[in-house]
Amino acid sequence: MDTFLEQSEEQIDETGTWLSIGDLMAGLLMVFALFLIVTLARLYEYQEQSKSNRIVIIEEIQKGLDEAGIKSKVDLQTGSLALTEGLNFSENSYAINDASKLFLKKLIPIYSQAIFLNDGTSEEVLHLVIEGHADAGEGKGKAMSLSLSRAEVVTTYIEKMTFPYKGRFIDKVLPAARGNLDADPKLSSYKNRKVVFRFEFKSRDLTEMMGK
């Protein structure tokens, strides 16, 4: 009889133990599911806010360009600015001419005011990439360094200008070069010898989002 009772108690204890572990696992699974739902909700919220900030920046730039009479086309996805005037160079040269200087005096305040419109738009822009280009037959093997020199001479001139939020703006500027990799055979050589402005927008990872 005692042996039977001992065996019954062992079975109850064993069953009770497994029930406790099962309850624990179910609880952990529920917590994980709730964590995942909250994370996905925050991800969606950040994506929507990020998208909204980018649209605001690009629309402000396009509005400013239109008001200034600058002919251009802004890519609504990347913020790349395709200019039809203003920042082109002579063959094998990175000297910036007077017309380009006047153009920059109109262009840069528009960009600066759009980026620093509010805290959200400012944080959205990681870098303003000033990207130099060359035409297909230019540079004799040095098209990349030539295009970088074009980006740098534009950057140097901007640093000498006076405009709103200058210090913060300069901190975001990143000179870069594409050489003749993007030379368009449909365009004249002169139009391929250019500098392009484009945004490098901030990306947000899950660690950053969960920390807020």
Side-chain angles (χ1 to χ4, degrees):
M1 186 70 174
D2 291 341
T3 301
F4 174 77
L5 290 174
E6 288 175 2
Q7 290 176 344
S8 298
E9 288 175 359
E10 287 177 2
Q11 290 175 354
I12 292 170
D13 290 343
E14 194 171 296
T15 303
T17 300
W18 279 108
L19 285 174
S20 297
I21 293 174
D23 290 343
L24 178 61
M25 294 300 293
L28 289 173
L29 183 60
M30 183 175 293
V31 170
F32 177 77
L34 289 173
F35 177 82
L36 180 60
I37 291 170
V38 171
T39 300
L40 291 175
R42 289 191 179 183
L43 177 60
Y44 177 78
E45 178 184 346
Y46 276 105
Q47 286 177 333
E48 289 300 303
Q49 185 59 55
S50 177
K51 181 179 178 181
S52 176
N53 286 333
R54 295 179 190 190
I55 290 173
V56 168
I57 293 169
I58 294 168
E59 286 182 344
E60 282 295 312
I61 289 172
Q62 188 67 73
K63 177 183 175 182
L65 295 175
D66 291 343
E67 290 176 352
I70 298 174
K71 296 179 181 179
S72 64
K73 183 178 180 181
V74 180
D75 188 316
L76 295 179
Q77 296 297 320
T78 65
S80 293
L81 175 64
L83 299 169
T84 57
E85 59 169 299
L87 288 175
N88 299 96
F89 297 82
S90 299
E91 186 176 5
N92 293 313
S93 171
Y94 57 86
I96 186 171
N97 58 35
D98 290 340
S100 293
K101 293 176 182 179
L102 290 174
F103 179 78
L104 285 170
K105 288 179 180 179
K106 291 195 295 182
L107 180 70
I108 296 306
I110 294 170
Y111 258 80
S112 186
Q113 289 172 352
I115 293 172
F116 300 105
L117 187 65
N118 56 55
D119 290 341
T121 55
S122 173
E123 291 177 4
E124 193 64 36
V125 178
L126 184 62
H127 292 118
L128 174 62
V129 181
I130 298 180
E131 189 176 79
H133 291 252
D135 72 58
E138 199 177 23
K140 295 182 180 180
K142 298 181 179 180
M144 192 64 72
S145 61
L146 177 61
S147 62
L148 180 58
S149 294
R150 287 170 175 168
E152 289 177 337
V153 75
V154 170
T155 301
T156 299
Y157 185 76
I158 292 172
E159 290 173 346
K160 297 176 182 178
M161 292 171 52
T162 300
F163 55 91
Y165 313 108
K166 176 181 174 179
R168 297 167 66 190
F169 182 89
I170 296 299
D171 287 341
K172 291 185 180 292
V173 169
L174 180 65
R178 288 292 293 170
N180 54 23
L181 296 175
D182 297 328
D184 187 347
K186 297 178 182 178
L187 298 177
S188 67
S189 295
Y190 180 70
K191 288 188 176 181
N192 276 315
R193 299 193 295 265
K194 62 187 178 181
V195 165
V196 171
F197 290 80
R198 65 178 177 81
F199 289 123
E200 182 179 328
F201 289 115
K202 185 176 182 180
S203 60
R204 302 177 187 272
D205 58 28
L206 293 180
T207 303
E208 179 186 1
M209 289 188 293
M210 294 312 297
K212 291 190 175 184

